Amino acid sequence: MNAMLKDAADRPGPPLAARDLGHGYEGATVLRGIDLDIAAGSVLGLIGRNGAGKSTLLRALLGLLEPTTGETRVFGKPALAMDDGIRQRIAYVPQQPEALAWLTVAQMFDYLGRFYPRWNHAFARDTLARWQLPANKLFGKLSPGERQRVELVRALASEPELLVLDEPAAALDPVARRELLREIALRACEAGITVVFSTHIVSDLERVASDIAFLHQGRLLLHCPVDDTKERYARLWLPARLGPHAPASTLGRRSHADGSVSVVIERDAHGRWPDEAAQPGVRLDVLGLEDLFVEIAE
Amino acid sequence: MDASLLTIQPASPEPIYRQIVEQLRRLIAGGQLGAGDLLPSVRDVAAFHAINPMTVSRAYGMAESEGLLERLRGKGMAVAATVRPTQTQTQRLALLEPQLQALVRHARELELPADAVLRRLGRLLED
């Protein structure tokens, strides 16, 4: 713990930062103009529809692909030029891990244990058993779900300061998922680690995230503390006759078949809703994260 | 008090820290938690419910500033010594505030005049 605090003092920059990050494949733009600072100790949940660019963003943040515009930094260093010292402080679990397919799980962990200075052997052994993972099977012979679980154990056992998980919930049953969330919560509490994870299971994010980022069509629409999503935003529904009196909204506007309109509104700096919300006949709904997401992303 | 006494509904439109404070208020007002009772640590609540520890700290901090809880040196959080289960009428009324505000909101949406709603509410209360 003291060693980690000392590391923190030496650390020159935030765990992750992106400036004007853009990326594209074969003429199609996947990410555009992403500015993002992820503070030490935060747990950021990244949410977006399939194809919104979540995996690409995570990979670009870690320097695993070269952006077409802008740059990303990991602990203050350019992500594309990380040294081993920084690599040892990071753990990343992609959706479809491929690494070291020719080793058994036990051999792989033995090998990794020598690379990572803080490798936690007991945690690795116990969690493999609890998540019913065969230590003596070749990694390449495991099912995709098993591979991702092994990679999650690997990532946690390396005791990282920055943990990046791409859709970690997909490979886990509800019990193991809860266990992973608990592990994230406790480590954020005790070791002060920074976590970034993408998910489409919004309730996981609501439990454990301190901050949330909405990625939509390659743009970052929202990045704020998770409580703000419930306290600062709401949905205003206006009947057809009041449709023209809807406040101008940048976050989301939907017209319904009966002519009524719903918009996502935001409190101003004094905590007040726009004046239009006080008109008789309109309805103000405080939204859970999932509903807010649907309103914005549709 | 045990962390399992709290119920957390992540999908609710009410932020988790507010859910915790609201439950503490009710448990104290109802006498299930008495002056001096120790609360579970932030870590225990975060681990039991798999929620972010900062959310729990925020809830405890808010309850402390409201005078519901106090920090005991070396022991953690406890129900404040000044808290009594039989609160004043004003305090008990304050616990109804969220429901009253929801009622006002619904009445406005239905474009109902205040006197009609108050008449009906009065009759319900007299029953």
Tab-separated table of all heavy atoms in Angstrom, chain A residues 244-274:
chain	number	residue	atom	x	y	z
A	244	PRO	N	-44.539	22.631	-30.154
A	244	PRO	CA	-43.703	23.761	-30.576
A	244	PRO	C	-43.031	24.491	-29.410
A	244	PRO	O	-42.092	25.258	-29.615
A	244	PRO	CB	-44.706	24.690	-31.282
A	244	PRO	CG	-45.860	23.811	-31.637
A	244	PRO	CD	-45.935	22.769	-30.573
A	245	HIS	N	-43.541	24.267	-28.182
A	245	HIS	CA	-42.962	24.956	-27.026
A	245	HIS	C	-41.909	24.108	-26.301
A	245	HIS	O	-41.560	24.402	-25.163
A	245	HIS	CB	-44.063	25.362	-26.041
A	245	HIS	CG	-45.077	26.283	-26.645
A	245	HIS	ND1	-44.809	27.601	-26.891
A	245	HIS	CD2	-46.332	26.052	-27.072
A	245	HIS	CE1	-45.883	28.157	-27.453
A	245	HIS	NE2	-46.823	27.235	-27.574
A	246	ALA	N	-41.446	23.062	-26.960
A	246	ALA	CA	-40.402	22.230	-26.344
A	246	ALA	C	-39.105	23.029	-26.276
A	246	ALA	O	-38.790	23.780	-27.193
A	246	ALA	CB	-40.195	20.970	-27.173
A	247	PRO	N	-38.343	22.894	-25.167
A	247	PRO	CA	-37.072	23.603	-25.088
A	247	PRO	C	-36.090	23.044	-26.117
A	247	PRO	O	-36.186	21.877	-26.486
A	247	PRO	CB	-36.585	23.318	-23.661
A	247	PRO	CG	-37.341	22.129	-23.202
A	247	PRO	CD	-38.613	22.061	-23.985
A	248	ALA	N	-35.214	23.897	-26.589
A	248	ALA	CA	-34.181	23.419	-27.499
A	248	ALA	C	-33.284	22.477	-26.706
A	248	ALA	O	-32.849	22.811	-25.616
A	248	ALA	CB	-33.382	24.602	-28.032
A	249	SER	N	-33.051	21.305	-27.213
A	249	SER	CA	-32.258	20.336	-26.468
A	249	SER	C	-31.199	19.755	-27.370
A	249	SER	O	-31.456	19.441	-28.524
A	249	SER	CB	-33.160	19.221	-25.938
A	249	SER	OG	-32.376	18.169	-25.456
A	250	THR	N	-29.991	19.638	-26.848
A	250	THR	CA	-28.933	19.082	-27.675
A	250	THR	C	-28.783	17.589	-27.438
A	250	THR	O	-28.128	16.908	-28.198
A	250	THR	CB	-27.585	19.750	-27.343
A	250	THR	OG1	-27.400	19.667	-25.933
A	250	THR	CG2	-27.563	21.190	-27.782
A	251	LEU	N	-29.391	17.070	-26.379
A	251	LEU	CA	-29.115	15.688	-25.998
A	251	LEU	C	-30.058	14.670	-26.622
A	251	LEU	O	-29.695	13.538	-26.835
A	251	LEU	CB	-29.158	15.535	-24.471
A	251	LEU	CG	-27.827	15.811	-23.806
A	251	LEU	CD1	-27.970	15.765	-22.310
A	251	LEU	CD2	-26.785	14.792	-24.246
A	252	GLY	N	-31.270	15.038	-26.879
A	252	GLY	CA	-32.162	14.050	-27.462
A	252	GLY	C	-33.555	14.613	-27.606
A	252	GLY	O	-34.051	15.310	-26.714
A	253	ARG	N	-34.182	14.346	-28.759
A	253	ARG	CA	-35.539	14.823	-28.993
A	253	ARG	C	-36.237	13.760	-29.813
A	253	ARG	O	-35.716	13.280	-30.808
A	253	ARG	CB	-35.484	16.137	-29.769
A	253	ARG	CG	-36.855	16.701	-30.098
A	253	ARG	CD	-36.751	17.826	-31.128
A	253	ARG	NE	-38.086	18.207	-31.566
A	253	ARG	CZ	-38.766	19.230	-31.057
A	253	ARG	NH1	-38.236	19.995	-30.143
A	253	ARG	NH2	-39.995	19.497	-31.461
A	254	ARG	N	-37.416	13.351	-29.339
A	254	ARG	CA	-38.155	12.332	-30.066
A	254	ARG	C	-39.570	12.813	-30.327
A	254	ARG	O	-40.228	13.350	-29.433
A	254	ARG	CB	-38.219	11.037	-29.253
A	254	ARG	CG	-36.894	10.314	-29.204
A	254	ARG	CD	-37.075	8.839	-29.024
A	254	ARG	NE	-37.427	8.491	-27.652
A	254	ARG	CZ	-37.870	7.285	-27.315
A	254	ARG	NH1	-38.076	6.363	-28.232
A	254	ARG	NH2	-38.152	7.026	-26.056
A	255	SER	N	-40.040	12.619	-31.563
A	255	SER	CA	-41.428	12.934	-31.886
A	255	SER	C	-42.196	11.626	-31.915
A	255	SER	O	-41.723	10.637	-32.480
A	255	SER	CB	-41.514	13.601	-33.253
A	255	SER	OG	-40.786	14.806	-33.231
A	256	HIS	N	-43.355	11.622	-31.277
A	256	HIS	CA	-44.135	10.388	-31.221
A	256	HIS	C	-45.262	10.433	-32.244
A	256	HIS	O	-45.604	11.490	-32.775
A	256	HIS	CB	-44.678	10.192	-29.804
A	256	HIS	CG	-43.593	10.210	-28.766
A	256	HIS	ND1	-42.700	9.190	-28.604
A	256	HIS	CD2	-43.232	11.166	-27.878
A	256	HIS	CE1	-41.841	9.504	-27.643
A	256	HIS	NE2	-42.135	10.702	-27.186
A	257	ALA	N	-45.850	9.249	-32.501
A	257	ALA	CA	-46.854	9.125	-33.557
A	257	ALA	C	-48.053	10.047	-33.331
A	257	ALA	O	-48.653	10.546	-34.280
A	257	ALA	CB	-47.316	7.666	-33.651
A	258	ASP	N	-48.399	10.303	-32.061
A	258	ASP	CA	-49.583	11.125	-31.778
A	258	ASP	C	-49.251	12.620	-31.778
A	258	ASP	O	-50.068	13.441	-31.383
A	258	ASP	CB	-50.195	10.725	-30.435
A	258	ASP	CG	-49.234	10.972	-29.281
A	258	ASP	OD1	-48.072	11.375	-29.532
A	258	ASP	OD2	-49.634	10.763	-28.119
A	259	GLY	N	-48.041	12.972	-32.218
A	259	GLY	CA	-47.686	14.384	-32.287
A	259	GLY	C	-47.021	14.900	-31.021
A	259	GLY	O	-46.479	16.006	-31.007
A	260	SER	N	-47.065	14.117	-29.946
A	260	SER	CA	-46.391	14.554	-28.718
A	260	SER	C	-44.879	14.449	-28.907
A	260	SER	O	-44.389	13.759	-29.809
A	260	SER	CB	-46.859	13.727	-27.518
A	260	SER	OG	-46.511	12.374	-27.701
A	261	VAL	N	-44.157	15.135	-28.041
A	261	VAL	CA	-42.710	15.235	-28.191
A	261	VAL	C	-42.077	14.950	-26.841
A	261	VAL	O	-42.603	15.364	-25.804
A	261	VAL	CB	-42.329	16.674	-28.641
A	261	VAL	CG1	-40.834	16.893	-28.585
A	261	VAL	CG2	-42.856	16.954	-30.041
A	262	SER	N	-40.954	14.237	-26.811
A	262	SER	CA	-40.193	14.174	-25.562
A	262	SER	C	-38.756	14.615	-25.815
A	262	SER	O	-38.178	14.304	-26.858
A	262	SER	CB	-40.263	12.790	-24.909
A	262	SER	OG	-39.858	11.793	-25.794
A	263	VAL	N	-38.226	15.373	-24.887
A	263	VAL	CA	-36.852	15.868	-25.003
A	263	VAL	C	-36.115	15.583	-23.692
A	263	VAL	O	-36.734	15.481	-22.628
A	263	VAL	CB	-36.799	17.394	-25.268
A	263	VAL	CG1	-37.295	17.724	-26.661
A	263	VAL	CG2	-37.584	18.163	-24.237
A	264	VAL	N	-34.811	15.447	-23.792
A	264	VAL	CA	-33.989	15.300	-22.592
A	264	VAL	C	-33.557	16.701	-22.172
A	264	VAL	O	-32.988	17.440	-22.969
A	264	VAL	CB	-32.764	14.407	-22.851
A	264	VAL	CG1	-31.859	14.368	-21.630
A	264	VAL	CG2	-33.208	13.010	-23.220
A	265	ILE	N	-33.871	17.083	-20.935
A	265	ILE	CA	-33.516	18.426	-20.472
A	265	ILE	C	-32.481	18.333	-19.350
A	265	ILE	O	-32.304	17.281	-18.728
A	265	ILE	CB	-34.751	19.220	-19.985
A	265	ILE	CG1	-35.487	18.442	-18.892
A	265	ILE	CG2	-35.676	19.528	-21.151
A	265	ILE	CD1	-36.605	19.258	-18.247
A	266	GLU	N	-31.822	19.452	-19.115
A	266	GLU	CA	-30.722	19.491	-18.145
A	266	GLU	C	-30.940	20.677	-17.216
A	266	GLU	O	-31.407	21.734	-17.645
A	266	GLU	CB	-29.414	19.672	-18.928
A	266	GLU	CG	-28.180	19.627	-18.059
A	266	GLU	CD	-26.887	19.781	-18.861
A	266	GLU	OE1	-26.953	19.842	-20.103
A	266	GLU	OE2	-25.825	19.858	-18.223
A	267	ARG	N	-30.625	20.516	-15.948
A	267	ARG	CA	-30.721	21.636	-15.005
A	267	ARG	C	-29.667	22.688	-15.347
A	267	ARG	O	-28.585	22.343	-15.802
A	267	ARG	CB	-30.461	21.146	-13.576
A	267	ARG	CG	-31.557	20.292	-12.987
A	267	ARG	CD	-31.193	19.971	-11.543
A	267	ARG	NE	-31.972	18.866	-11.020
A	267	ARG	CZ	-33.124	19.026	-10.372
A	267	ARG	NH1	-33.622	20.230	-10.175
A	267	ARG	NH2	-33.774	17.976	-9.916
A	268	ASP	N	-29.968	23.970	-15.080
A	268	ASP	CA	-28.964	25.004	-15.313
A	268	ASP	C	-28.005	25.079	-14.118
A	268	ASP	O	-28.087	24.267	-13.185
A	268	ASP	CB	-29.638	26.365	-15.599
A	268	ASP	CG	-30.394	26.901	-14.384
A	268	ASP	OD1	-30.178	26.402	-13.256
A	268	ASP	OD2	-31.209	27.825	-14.566
A	269	ALA	N	-27.111	26.063	-14.144
A	269	ALA	CA	-26.076	26.165	-13.113
A	269	ALA	C	-26.678	26.363	-11.713
A	269	ALA	O	-26.028	26.065	-10.708
A	269	ALA	CB	-25.138	27.314	-13.449
A	270	HIS	N	-27.914	26.850	-11.641
A	270	HIS	CA	-28.554	27.047	-10.337
A	270	HIS	C	-29.434	25.862	-9.950
A	270	HIS	O	-30.197	25.940	-8.992
A	270	HIS	CB	-29.400	28.325	-10.354
A	270	HIS	CG	-28.629	29.530	-10.794
A	270	HIS	ND1	-27.682	30.123	-9.980
A	270	HIS	CD2	-28.630	30.214	-11.957
A	270	HIS	CE1	-27.136	31.141	-10.655
A	270	HIS	NE2	-27.691	31.213	-11.849
A	271	GLY	N	-29.367	24.779	-10.732
A	271	GLY	CA	-30.140	23.599	-10.400
A	271	GLY	C	-31.587	23.664	-10.851
A	271	GLY	O	-32.405	22.840	-10.438
A	272	ARG	N	-31.917	24.649	-11.711
A	272	ARG	CA	-33.309	24.774	-12.166
A	272	ARG	C	-33.498	24.113	-13.522
A	272	ARG	O	-32.617	24.139	-14.380
A	272	ARG	CB	-33.688	26.262	-12.269
A	272	ARG	CG	-33.906	26.922	-10.920
A	272	ARG	CD	-34.379	28.344	-11.129
A	272	ARG	NE	-33.441	29.091	-11.959
A	272	ARG	CZ	-32.752	30.147	-11.516
A	272	ARG	NH1	-32.905	30.594	-10.289
A	272	ARG	NH2	-31.920	30.775	-12.319
A	273	TRP	N	-34.718	23.552	-13.719
A	273	TRP	CA	-35.070	23.021	-15.031
A	273	TRP	C	-35.424	24.199	-15.947
A	273	TRP	O	-35.777	25.281	-15.459
A	273	TRP	CB	-36.278	22.083	-14.919
A	273	TRP	CG	-36.041	20.869	-14.092
A	273	TRP	CD1	-36.644	20.542	-12.916
A	273	TRP	CD2	-35.141	19.785	-14.369
A	273	TRP	NE1	-36.188	19.339	-12.450
A	273	TRP	CE2	-35.271	18.850	-13.312
A	273	TRP	CE3	-34.244	19.502	-15.408
A	273	TRP	CZ2	-34.530	17.669	-13.264
A	273	TRP	CZ3	-33.513	18.322	-15.347
A	273	TRP	CH2	-33.655	17.424	-14.291
A	274	PRO	N	-35.377	24.003	-17.272
A	274	PRO	CA	-35.807	25.083	-18.181
A	274	PRO	C	-37.267	25.488	-17.884
A	274	PRO	O	-38.053	24.660	-17.410
A	274	PRO	CB	-35.708	24.435	-19.567
A	274	PRO	CG	-34.859	23.229	-19.417
A	274	PRO	CD	-34.918	22.813	-17.982
